[in-house]
Structure formats: structure tokens, C-alpha cells
Amino acid sequence: MEGRGSAVNTTASRPVTRRSKSYGRSCVEAPSYFWQTPGHLTVLKIPTSRGAARSQLITNKVDPEHIALLVKNEWKLSYVTPLHHFRHTQLKSYSKHLAAFIAAEKQQGVAVEVGLEVGFKVTFTAVLGLAETDEDAETVFIQIQSKPVFAAAADAPKVVWRGWLTCVNGDPEYLRSLPPDFVSLPLFCTSGPESLTTLVKSWFERAFDCNFGSLALNSTTLNWLAALWTGCHSTCNIRYLKLAWSLPSQPPLDVSYTVNPQDAWELWNSIHPEESTDDKIDIKEVQSFINGLETHFFRHFKIYLSAGTLVKVSTALGSAHLDGKLKIGNSDYITTLLTLLTESALLKMPT
Amino acid sequence: MADLSNLAGLVSEPSGEIDSSVSSVSNRSLRLAEKEKRKGVADPFGLAVKYLSQVEAGTVVRGNDELERNMVRVETVALSKGLPPEVITMLLDLALSLNAGTANCTRVLKFLLPATVVPQEAIVKGVSWLCVGKMPMNAQVLFVRWVLTVFDLIDCKDDLRSIYGFIFSFVTEENLFPFICHLLYLLTMWEHVHSYRVRKLLDIQAKMGRQPFLTQLLALYKVFRPDLVTLSLPSRARVKNWPSIPPLSSAFDSNSNKKVFRLQELRSFKELLENIHNIELPAQMGSLLGSALALHYLDCVQDESAFLRLNFWLGHSLQEEFLLCPVDGSSDNTSEACRFLSTILFTQQFLQEGFSSTESFLYKFLSVWDGCLLRPQILDLLSDIPLMPSFYMHKLLFEPLKQLYFTSTVFFKCSVIECLNSMLVKWLTWHSVSASEGGLDISLNSNSTITMTLSGFMDSVMELVRFVGLLASEGLRLENCHVLLLNQTLAFYETVCDMFLKYSLPLIIMPPAGVFYPALFATDSISVDRLGYIMFRYRKNLTLAKKQEQQREQTFHISRNTYKEFNRNLQAMVNSMWNSWWCIPGSDIEIDKDLIALSKVAEPWCRFDLIHHPALFSYAIEFHQRCWPERKNVDLGSIKTGKYWNWYMEFLFNQGFDGLNNFIQTNTGHGSSIFNVVAQ
């Protein structure tokens, strides 16, 4: 059907260079890590196995005051593309700029000088020690306090918003592939009014040419969390394993399923024995753990949970919701949790 | 004061001309002397200007008829023709110095209409008079307003910008304040924005509240120095107008030591060229897409981080709009998205390249696309996809496209073929350009460059052509050889048949039988003519390939199969159209004679000759009518006899069937029934 040139001399083997002046990087060749996994294309390969959750005294590494800030709130999760020209040495100046920006946005049409504290006080803090690898950038915590104009001198400023940007065990290959003027802190957790979140996001977008998107977790991530947290029960009492399903029936059926922690652990231990030499947990083991729980439920209630969606997992160690809400219950397991969430955030990066 | 000694001469030409027409016979030198003498007399305007330029401080104004007379004379000219630059300078100085009195000051400012341009020095001098502080307030206001009115006519603004500080000092004057703000707005450059000026303006804001002129000036300050001042302009409606192109603005860590040029300061292409070596990128790379000048600059950017920023933004916008957030179906949303995609398309066409984030977005989007949403934009973007290794083509492009193609209407099928045709043309053009540049690596960034061998490139082209061949043959079968689809397909093969001659790609691929025969037996004459043209071009390409192969020592090698295939098609075409016989020796599509007999068609072998072919039949009838208008029985066979045949050929070719004409001219010895196959 076709006659084609065979490579018989230099003309045919001369390399042809794909002109790529206006491409950041190609998405079909290294170093872009463009993977096709069933259903979607992502920057990274989705791992099928990971290490078991290990407890570590995080307060040995990180300032306990900082850790306390992360533990007590419920966080709404977002992903953010790499920050351009973000410098951990400039946090003070960022505080001033963000405060002025918020003040200007709050009173539309009135210009605000950068550096004057009017109405809002913003504090950027580096949470040192949370990073696990050399490629991870240090976590940045942001706090917004409001200072009402007519407040009495003795009134302490009220914290109205908190948020932090983090990267724990981020894919080293991806992080290394970024030029040095980028800082990747892909996971953004916020707590406070949505209007302030929007303002903070839009300030970041203008200042560091980055973009935010909401980070919904998928059932696979929740499955992983359920298994990883249950596995911790032998070293730290998880008190309960609460799972919530949503079933697409008419009307929709919400199922809340609380499992005795010891029972859950025994089920998990039968699938992945604690004393097993292999430290790695495979996705198949996680899947059979969840299947085991679902089968048990079916035996009692004749409802196939697998027909629905797992929407929430919670234990004393923390809770995570499908729509991207997170609570951290115990700081000693924070690394495992943040590793998993960093990975989810990196998977959202546009290629 | 400007030297006005020769001013009168400047404006006195017309009178001189009248003069010469009257005294045409007189002595030349005498005439010149006369002219010189009469010039002053005949040019009252020149004299008036001269008079006014000599008005000194302390001149009595009241009751000064001479002053009044000259003033009126200049005023009349100003109002009818406008004033030349030198006169503007002189009059402005006269007015603002108050030498001719306060009343005349405002009077002059009201008729100070430039004929061409306003010299910058006039304004600078005016500002210095303003600084003297003698002028009454209404004159000051009038002066600044006059500057604003003629601002675009000021020949150059450099000196004016260097006295920015003097002009700025008037912001505290309550009456002048709005106009000074406006003037500052027009003059402000990056280097004028300082924290002490910001503070001054903010003090005024605190006193006077939100004033539009002040807010706009501050907003401009913010564009240049977001590190000093921040401001949010109230938008009319707080609706989500997303995705959108961000505005151009400096990064707030913008380098303040180096003398750099900012994209938002760019006013002309000339400025871009003069400053191209030290242009600073904006805070958000996406903002470049909103400015035509910035796009020119984008074409020269070689910074990997810059493109990464652009691609992150673009990829994120596309992903959030089309992949993560389900479209809620509201038409408003779609029109926003449509505008956004059109901007990207425009940019890509301008740069003659696609962005990698658009590319990867399309691969993801194709698998969830319904084939309807924003179809023209999506397919146009798809045609911008750059060359890629054939391995990925199947997975990322062909599989999803195939599913959409076979489950959609014939019009969608046409659009897909058209899109792939345009993609092929872009690939081939890219190849011919890079080949003519001697394989020079144009990309300066080795990281982002895919190196592909020529044979790899040919593999990709071959895969694409083969894929379209498959889509087309199956599509034509499914759609009953729809005439639009057939024409779109033939347009594609018009590109394919000329790959060697037009794009110097040593690759010749023949159309599959599923395309060739539907075109050969098509019922519309355009398709048949197009096929003729395509076969004619194939022949040209193959002949040249053969020649080059014999001349040089095997530049490349076209397989024997290609020649065989071409010859088989050629034979089929010539046999059915010219020789009225069907048997194609050695062909795998021989039709059983008994089967044809069952159709009871008389003389089936000549049903597709140039007379009986369904696409040409009506022409044969028309020809017959013209030749034998009185005949009752139509006997088309008589066209074949003698001179009528040649006439008929001429008649056909006069209908515009150039493709068929070329085909017949090259493949048959003119008029004979022998056709020449290309030697294998």
C-alpha cells in the first residue's frame, strides 16, 4: 500500500528535531512522565504499593507549636501548580503584601499602601522539619488575624483564617524535573471563610504565577487510608474505624459503618500479616481488606456496598472525606497521611 | 523665546504664487526683490505673529488696538487652519507669561489649535510658568486641560517625563488635582512610581475619598509596582468569568535595579524591537495571550521556566474547565469557553505551533468528548497537534478518534478527515522547512526537544495516512459514498499524492481500494475529476522519484509494490473510462461475468467510459443534442466515431475538468487507446 524510503544513506537517518520552542516540555517523552492509566492521563505513575504507616515522634523534628496548629482544625484540600519565584526567605514581605491585598480587596476602589497594617495581619511561617526528602520544600503556614478598627487596645487580634502549603515525599523525579526557580508545594489546606480562601488563592496566583484547583480524593485514596490506619492499631489505639458509603439508590442511601478496631485489625492482619518480612503493602491487599468489610456488611444487611461509593473514612488518627476535607487526629502518623495527599495533589498537576 | 525672524516666510507661500502669475514677463532678479518686499505686506498673518512675538512684559493691554488687531488676525487663522508648531510655542509663552494680560491668556489658550504637532518644549516651558505661580487659577486649569487635549499631538514626551516630579507636585492643588492626575496617568512609566509618591496619593485618597481619576492613577501605579501599592477595582458584577486571560502586570519581585522594559509599557512594534533585549516577563505568563505585541515577544522567548509557567496556567485552565468541572450546560458558560479556546487557537496559529498543555489536554479530552461540544474549536486545536512518535499516535489519538468517528454523523466524519488533512499539511510543512534549514536544531533547549529520525517521521506520516485511509474507506461504506465525505477524502489524498514533489518527503502512499473505487465510480463529476488530478500528481511524483533513483545512487527507494499499485489503479481507470473494458489482469477485484449478466445491463463494460459514466452522462447527452439537434433517438455511440470523439473531448475539458484533462493527456498518447504505465 505504501512505498517508503528505506534508510539506505545519510538522508534517511538524519535526525529530525521536533521544533518545540513554545512547549514547556513534551508530553510524550521524558522528562514529562506522561502516563496513561485507565481513565485518565496524569503526570505521574499511580503507585500500586506503598510502605506501611510508621509512627514517628514528629515533635522531635518539628516545633510542637507548629504541629499543634495542623492538628486541631478541619482542612479543605486544594492542589496548586508549582510556585514561580517563591522564596522561603521572603516570608515577611509576603505577609505584608497579602495583608495589603486583602485590605484592598475588602474595600473595593481604595488603594492600600503595602506595609501598613490595616484591618488584617497576615503571618507566614515556615514549618521546618515536615519535609521528608531533599526534594521536598519546607511547609509554609499562613495565618490571618483581623484587627477591627474600633477594637479595644486589650483585645487580642482574632484568627480568622488558616492555611498551609506542603509537600511530603513528593515524587522525586517530578520535583527534580522542575527548573530551580520553581518551588512545588502541591498540597494546600485551608480552614476559614471561603471568601478569604479565594482572596489568598488569587494573591498567590498573581504573585507566583500558579493556579489552584480543588482536590477531591478518590475512593482508592480512601481505601488506602482505611487500610493504613487500621494497620496502626497494634501500636496505637485507633478506637474505631468508621466508614461511610453513598449508594446510588432511589432515594439515595447513606450507609455509616463503624467497625470495632480490633476486628478490623484482625481482618487486616489476616491479609497483611504484621510480621511479614515484606514492608510493602500492595493495592490488592487493600482491595481485599475493603472487600472483606463489604462482604461482612452484605452478610448482615444484604446490601452490596461495592455498588456505592466510599465517601468517608475516619479513625482516631484522622478522617478524610471524598470531597477533600481532612482532619488530622494524631500527629505521629502525619507523614504517612501527607505523603498520600501530596501524591493525590501531584496527580492533578496539568501536564 | 523662539527665534521668529523667518517665521513669516514659513506661512507666506500662497501670496508669492499669486505674485508670480501676475508679473510673468518681468526681469527675474527684479521679481525676486519685489517679492521680497511685498512678502511682508501680503502676509498679514506673518506680521501679526512677528508683532505678538515681540510683546514684552509691561505692555499696555487695555485700549491697545494694535495688539487687538494682531490677536484677531492670528485667532482667525488658528480657528480656520490651525497653527504651526513654532507659533504654538511662541503663543503659549506669550499667554502664560501674562505679557499680554490675563484676559488674553485664557483667550490664547482657547484658540491654540495645532495644525500638525505641538513641540514638547512648549509644554515644558508652560509647566515652568505654572511653577512660577503668577497665573490665576482658571488659567492654570485651562492650561493643563489644553495639554490633555493636545496630548496625542505632542511630538515627543521624553522631556515631559523627566519633569514628572514638577508636574506631580501640583496634585495638592485642589482645582488642578483631577487634571494633573489625568496628565500623570498619561505620563507615568515604571521609574516614576516611588513609595513617597504612593504615600502622597494615599494621603489625598484619605482626604478626598474614592475619586475616579485618583483611583485610575493608583491602579496604574499598582500595575507597575505591585510591591508598593495594592488596589482592587470594583467590577460591575462579581460573576465567575472563567477561564480568562489575566491582565499584564509586573511581578512584585520585579527587578528594580536593572533598567528593564515592561510589557505593559509597550506601545508599538518599534518599541518592542528597540527593547527586545531587556524585556521583563510579567507576573503571570498567561497575560501574554491577551496582547498582540506580547505575542510577538513570546515568539522570541527562550526561557524554559516561562513556557512552563504558561503551560501550567493553560493546562490548569483547560483541565478545570473541561475535565474536572462538568459543564452545567448553560449557554453562557459555553460561550466563555468558546472564546477562551478561540484565543488559544489564535495564539497557536500566530506562533505556528501548538502548546504542549493543549496537546496533552486534547489526549485526555478526546476520551470523554461527545463530539459535539465546541466541535470546530476542538478539531482546530487537534489539527495543531505536533508530530509525535507513531507508537503514541495509536494510543492517544487514533483509538478515541475512531470511536467518535464511527458513532457520529457524516458531517462529523467530514470534519475529522478535514482536521487530519490539515494536521498532515502542518507536519509536512514543518518537515520541509526543517529539511531546507539543513536539519538545523531550531530549538535552543535540549531538554524539551524530541529528536526523531527521518525514518521515524515517515513512520508517523505513514501511520496517519493509513489511519485516514481506514476511516475514509469504512466511512464511505457506512455513509453510502456520501459526496461530501468523498470530497473531503479526496482533498486529503490531494495532499498525500504530492508529498514528494511539494514537501520533499520521499514517501508515496496510494489510496486504498475503498477510496479509489468509490471515487472512480462516483456519480458526481467533481469527485471523478479530482481523482483524475490525484492520479496525475501521483504519476508526476513517481516519475520524479524514478528519475532521481536512476540519476543519483539511490537517494531513497520506493518499493515495487507502490508502482504496482499505482499501475493497477491506472489500468483500472483507463480501462473503464477510455477502453470500455473491465478486465484488470492480475487484480483481486475481478467480477464474475455471470453475476454481471444477472443485472441485465446492456454492454456493462462500457457503462463507465467517458460517455456513459454516471458522472459524465449528462455532458454526453448535452453534447449529443448540440451535434445533432434534430435527432429524435439519442445514440451516444455515435460520439465515438471520427472527429466527434475529439470534439467531445474538447467539449468535456472546456467544462473545467482540468483534472481529467491532465490525467488523459499524460496517460494516453493523445487520442490513442494506449496508456503508459510507470516502469516499475
Side-chain angles (χ1 to χ4, degrees):
Chain A
M1 180 158 162
E2 62 275 316
R4 47 153 308 181
S6 55
V8 286
N9 74 351
T10 46
T11 327
S13 52
R14 168 173 61 78
V16 175
T17 311
R18 168 167 146 168
R19 194 158 88 105
S20 56
K21 194 155 51 67
S22 64
Y23 304 98
R25 47 194 59 201
S26 157
C27 56
V28 290
E29 295 264 309
S32 163
Y33 320 107
F34 190 67
W35 302 101
Q36 195 179 28
T37 33
H40 59 284
L41 300 160
T42 57
V43 220
L44 305 165
K45 210 171 198 168
I46 299 171
T48 52
S49 73
R50 60 181 81 242
R54 293 265 170 273
S55 155
Q56 59 166 329
L57 264 177
I58 196 80
T59 44
N60 287 348
K61 273 170 70 188
V62 188
D63 188 339
E65 272 181 44
H66 288 165
I67 283 296
L69 290 171
L70 308 184
V71 176
K72 57 187 175 188
N73 292 292
E74 181 179 73
W75 304 104
K76 177 90 187 73
L77 307 179
S78 303
Y79 71 88
V80 54
T81 61
L83 313 178
H84 185 245
H85 276 169
F86 180 90
R87 291 186 191 90
H88 283 81
T89 50
Q90 297 285 312
L91 297 184
K92 266 208 177 122
S93 131
Y94 298 160
S95 303
K96 277 189 223 160
H97 279 107
L98 182 52
F101 179 79
I102 293 172
E105 286 286 331
K106 288 277 174 189
Q107 36 183 341
Q108 300 267 310
V110 176
V112 177
E113 188 188 347
V114 172
L116 284 187
E117 279 186 8
V118 270
F120 293 93
K121 180 179 158 61
V122 176
T123 327
F124 276 68
T125 326
V127 178
L128 302 176
L130 215 52
E132 283 284 299
T133 65
D134 288 344
E135 277 78 24
D136 287 345
E138 290 290 359
T139 300
V140 174
F141 192 86
I142 307 157
Q143 184 165 275
I144 302 176
Q145 289 161 301
S146 90
K147 295 202 300 186
V149 186
F150 302 109
D155 285 357
K158 202 176 130 210
V159 175
V160 285
W161 189 91
R162 286 188 183 88
W164 44 296
L165 291 144
T166 191
C167 178
V168 177
N169 281 316
D171 184 89
E173 257 188 296
Y174 176 77
L175 296 176
R176 255 180 250 136
S177 76
L178 291 173
D181 45 354
F182 284 94
V183 169
S184 182
L185 287 165
L187 182 64
F188 183 49
C189 310
T190 58
S191 159
E194 195 57 36
S195 60
L196 276 173
T197 307
T198 312
L199 289 184
V200 173
K201 283 180 179 176
S202 80
W203 180 79
F204 266 91
E205 289 180 349
R206 284 169 210 204
F208 308 109
D209 207 355
C210 57
N211 296 98
F212 292 81
S214 64
L215 177 62
L217 302 174
N218 57 24
S219 332
T220 314
T221 309
L222 296 184
N223 288 348
W224 270 110
L225 277 176
L228 289 171
W229 277 334
T230 305
C232 299
H233 186 64
S234 57
T235 46
C236 165
N237 189 354
I238 63 166
R239 305 230 301 273
Y240 51 86
L241 172 65
K242 242 189 243 173
L243 302 160
W245 265 272
S246 166
L247 293 163
S249 57
Q250 219 33 273
L253 191 62
D254 291 330
V255 175
S256 178
Y257 181 11
T258 310
V259 188
N260 176 295
Q262 190 58 31
D263 293 351
W265 184 80
E266 273 166 27
L267 174 63
W268 174 243
N269 198 45
S270 71
I271 293 163
H272 183 88
E274 196 179 18
E275 53 280 357
S276 69
T277 44
D278 187 11
D279 182 46
K280 288 277 174 194
I281 300 173
D282 194 85
I283 182 74
K284 283 182 196 140
E285 292 173 300
V286 174
Q287 205 49 56
S288 55
F289 173 64
I290 298 293
N291 287 348
L293 293 171
E294 287 173 351
T295 315
H296 182 76
F297 192 85
F298 179 76
R299 212 170 290 139
H300 286 283
F301 302 100
K302 298 288 176 283
I303 291 172
Y304 287 110
L305 290 174
S306 54
T309 323
L310 178 62
V311 292
K312 192 178 175 179
V313 174
S314 58
T315 69
L317 303 185
S319 76
H321 195 282
L322 195 68
D323 62 12
K325 286 208 185 89
L326 170 80
K327 248 186 191 163
I328 303 166
N330 185 326
S331 59
D332 292 349
Y333 294 91
I334 199 168
T335 304
T336 308
L337 179 62
L338 293 182
T339 303
L340 199 64
L341 295 175
T342 300
E343 183 189 296
S344 296
L346 281 179
L347 286 174
K348 294 273 184 192
M349 291 301 131
T351 37
Chain B
M1 190 161 283
D3 177 25
L4 289 159
S5 55
N6 61 349
L7 244 181
L10 265 170
V11 285
S12 63
E13 286 319 313
S15 60
E17 267 167 40
I18 299 160
D19 177 58
S20 69
S21 68
V22 177
S23 57
S24 54
V25 256
S26 59
N27 180 300
R28 190 182 147 82
S29 64
L30 206 103
R31 234 178 69 197
L32 279 175
E34 178 81 355
K35 199 172 161 186
E36 212 42 44
K37 207 183 102 192
R38 288 183 58 180
K39 213 177 213 173
V41 186
D43 179 29
F45 174 69
L47 280 180
V49 167
K50 200 170 179 195
Y51 173 85
L52 290 179
S53 71
Q54 285 158 359
V55 174
E56 281 175 9
T59 307
V60 180
V61 178
R62 189 162 292 178
N64 187 339
D65 289 347
E66 202 181 1
L67 176 66
E68 177 60 23
R69 199 171 52 243
N70 285 310
M71 200 64 111
V72 169
R73 207 163 276 166
V74 175
E75 189 173 22
T76 319
V77 174
L79 294 177
S80 59
K81 291 186 196 152
L83 299 167
E86 297 83 354
V87 179
I88 298 261
T89 312
M90 184 276 289
L91 282 177
L92 191 64
D93 195 55
L94 172 72
L96 301 185
S97 64
L98 302 178
N99 286 354
T102 323
N104 276 327
C105 170
T106 49
R107 178 180 177 185
V108 168
L109 283 170
K110 278 175 187 164
F111 70 70
L112 208 52
L113 303 172
T116 51
V117 293
V118 175
Q120 169 174 235
E121 44 162 350
I123 315 278
V124 173
K125 209 176 272 178
V127 173
S128 67
W129 280 121
L130 202 62
C131 294
V132 169
K134 262 175 27 186
M135 269 190 269
M137 187 44 73
N138 66 333
Q140 290 185 28
V141 170
L142 202 58
F143 166 63
V144 181
R145 289 178 66 184
W146 176 80
V147 176
L148 288 173
T149 313
V150 299
F151 189 82
D152 288 341
L153 300 174
I154 300 174
D155 51 3
C156 174
K157 281 130 192 163
D158 288 0
D159 292 345
L160 219 48
R161 290 205 164 99
S162 44
I163 57 163
Y164 188 91
F166 288 95
I167 300 172
F168 188 89
S169 66
F170 288 98
V171 289
T172 45
E173 285 291 342
E174 208 172 313
N175 294 305
L176 280 179
F177 171 62
F179 311 108
I180 288 291
C181 278
H182 189 173
L183 184 57
L184 291 172
Y185 183 89
L186 296 172
L187 289 174
T188 302
M189 299 293 275
W190 181 85
E191 68 264 23
H192 298 130
V193 187
H194 293 290
S195 52
Y196 57 87
R197 290 198 181 127
V198 170
R199 225 163 283 146
K200 186 93 218 159
L201 293 179
L202 290 179
D203 282 347
I204 298 170
Q205 179 187 254
K207 256 184 252 157
M208 306 188 60
R210 291 169 219 193
Q211 302 291 345
F213 30 86
L214 180 61
T215 307
Q216 290 307 323
L217 181 60
L218 280 163
L220 184 66
Y221 273 32
K222 184 205 150 200
V223 167
F224 286 118
R225 296 291 300 267
D227 53 325
L228 292 181
V229 62
T230 183
L231 168 73
S232 161
L233 288 180
S235 50
R236 284 207 187 88
R238 279 261 151 190
V239 287
K240 178 193 158 219
N241 56 344
W242 194 94
S244 60
I245 313 289
L248 276 171
S249 165
S250 290
F252 78 87
D253 59 349
S254 160
N255 198 333
S256 43
N257 304 324
K258 251 191 310 180
K259 175 78 185 145
V260 288
F261 207 80
R262 282 145 196 93
L263 279 173
Q264 62 267 30
E265 292 174 321
L266 272 189
R267 294 289 171 268
S268 64
F269 190 69
K270 191 168 157 266
E271 272 186 344
L272 173 69
L273 289 183
E274 282 162 3
N275 296 286
I276 204 146
H277 54 287
N278 61 353
I279 282 180
E280 192 183 64
L281 287 168
Q284 287 167 284
M285 277 300 289
S287 56
L288 263 68
L289 267 58
S291 145
L293 275 177
L295 282 186
H296 282 287
Y297 182 63
L298 185 61
D299 204 30
C300 324
V301 171
Q302 289 154 7
D303 174 4
E304 196 208 353
S305 296
F307 284 115
L308 209 49
R309 282 159 66 192
L310 189 61
N311 276 307
F312 277 140
W313 167 77
L314 192 54
H316 172 267
S317 300
L318 291 168
Q319 171 173 299
E320 288 288 320
E321 180 68 15
F322 296 99
L323 295 169
L324 300 180
C325 294
V327 174
D328 55 14
S330 71
S331 60
D332 191 44
N333 202 339
T334 314
S335 70
E336 287 278 342
C338 176
R339 205 170 313 138
F340 186 67
L341 290 188
S342 302
T343 309
I344 298 173
L345 261 174
F346 172 79
T347 310
Q348 294 193 157
Q349 276 156 11
F350 180 88
L351 299 171
Q352 299 182 12
E353 275 179 89
F355 292 109
S356 64
S357 47
T358 331
E359 187 187 350
S360 63
F361 158 73
L362 285 169
Y363 299 148
K364 291 179 231 174
F365 189 64
L366 274 186
S367 55
V368 293
W369 190 33
D370 61 357
C372 272
L373 181 76
L374 301 164
R375 182 197 293 169
Q377 285 80 14
I378 297 290
L379 286 178
D380 276 358
L381 284 175
L382 204 60
S383 76
D384 279 345
I385 282 188
L387 179 69
M388 64 174 133
S390 54
F391 164 71
Y392 288 99
M393 284 168 54
H394 274 279
K395 240 167 107 176
L396 301 173
L397 195 59
F398 295 169
E399 281 308 318
L401 212 50
K402 209 155 73 182
Q403 288 196 10
L404 282 167
Y405 179 87
F406 285 119
T407 52
S408 303
T409 63
V410 66
F411 302 108
F412 181 80
K413 292 189 174 88
C414 291
S415 319
V416 169
I417 305 278
E418 190 191 11
C419 157
L420 295 175
N421 187 15
S422 135
M423 185 190 287
L424 179 64
V425 169
K426 284 171 195 168
W427 288 11
L428 292 172
T429 310
W430 168 81
H431 167 260
S432 68
V433 170
S434 80
S436 65
E437 288 183 9
L440 184 78
D441 183 359
I442 313 167
S443 165
L444 286 145
N445 192 330
S446 55
N447 276 343
S448 56
T449 302
I450 290 190
T451 314
M452 206 189 243
T453 59
L454 182 62
S455 79
F457 173 71
M458 290 208 292
D459 277 341
S460 295
V461 170
M462 219 152 66
E463 284 303 315
L464 179 63
V465 174
R466 195 184 283 162
F467 176 65
V468 176
L470 172 95
L471 290 188
S473 356
E474 283 306 300
L476 285 169
R477 194 176 59 76
L478 285 172
E479 302 291 348
N480 236 334
C481 298
H482 196 285
V483 65
L484 273 182
L485 186 59
L486 183 57
N487 267 284
Q488 217 51 266
T489 306
L490 291 174
F492 178 78
Y493 279 98
E494 276 176 13
T495 311
V496 173
C497 69
D498 251 347
M499 289 196 295
F500 182 52
L501 258 168
K502 243 173 147 173
Y503 302 99
S504 23
L505 184 70
L507 184 65
I508 293 169
I509 306 171
M510 297 302 294
V515 170
F516 177 77
Y517 286 100
L520 179 58
F521 300 139
T523 50
D524 69 300
S525 48
I526 294 171
S527 302
V528 177
D529 183 58
R530 269 192 138 163
L531 183 68
Y533 173 77
I534 290 170
M535 289 300 284
F536 160 68
R537 294 304 303 178
Y538 268 123
R539 192 189 178 97
K540 287 243 160 198
N541 278 263
L542 281 168
T543 316
L544 182 78
K546 193 90 208 165
K547 213 167 111 192
Q548 286 202 353
E549 212 173 312
Q550 284 162 351
Q551 274 176 359
R552 290 182 241 155
E553 290 168 11
Q554 271 196 322
T555 312
F556 67 99
H557 178 73
I558 300 275
S559 87
R560 287 176 146 260
N561 262 339
T562 310
Y563 288 104
K564 252 189 210 162
E565 230 178 310
F566 171 77
N567 285 334
R568 206 186 299 137
N569 285 351
L570 182 66
Q571 248 171 311
M573 199 158 165
V574 173
N575 276 348
S576 68
M577 298 187 88
W578 195 258
N579 298 336
S580 311
W581 101 63
W582 268 10
C583 177
I584 303 160
S587 155
D588 43 355
I589 48 157
E590 255 176 288
I591 307 163
D592 187 9
K593 287 223 168 61
D594 300 332
L595 204 64
I596 294 176
L598 280 177
S599 73
K600 291 186 181 143
V601 174
E603 301 182 310
W605 50 88
C606 63
R607 287 300 123 195
F608 290 100
D609 64 19
L610 286 171
I611 296 169
H612 296 93
H613 194 292
L616 304 172
F617 191 61
S618 63
Y619 295 95
I621 298 278
E622 195 189 333
F623 179 75
H624 187 274
Q625 271 175 349
R626 285 200 194 179
C627 286
W628 302 282
E630 69 290 347
R631 266 201 209 172
K632 287 267 159 62
N633 291 335
V634 175
D635 174 24
L636 291 178
S638 50
I639 298 178
K640 282 194 175 172
T641 52
K643 59 187 180 186
Y644 289 108
W645 179 245
N646 289 336
W647 286 356
Y648 178 60
M649 286 293 102
E650 211 172 301
F651 170 77
L652 264 190
F653 299 150
N654 278 335
Q655 308 295 319
F657 294 127
D658 296 343
L660 273 182
N661 188 0
N662 285 328
F663 174 76
I664 290 171
Q665 299 292 342
T666 31
N667 288 306
T668 64
H670 190 67
S672 86
S673 64
I674 303 149
F675 64 88
N676 322 306
V677 297
V678 178
Q680 286 172 27

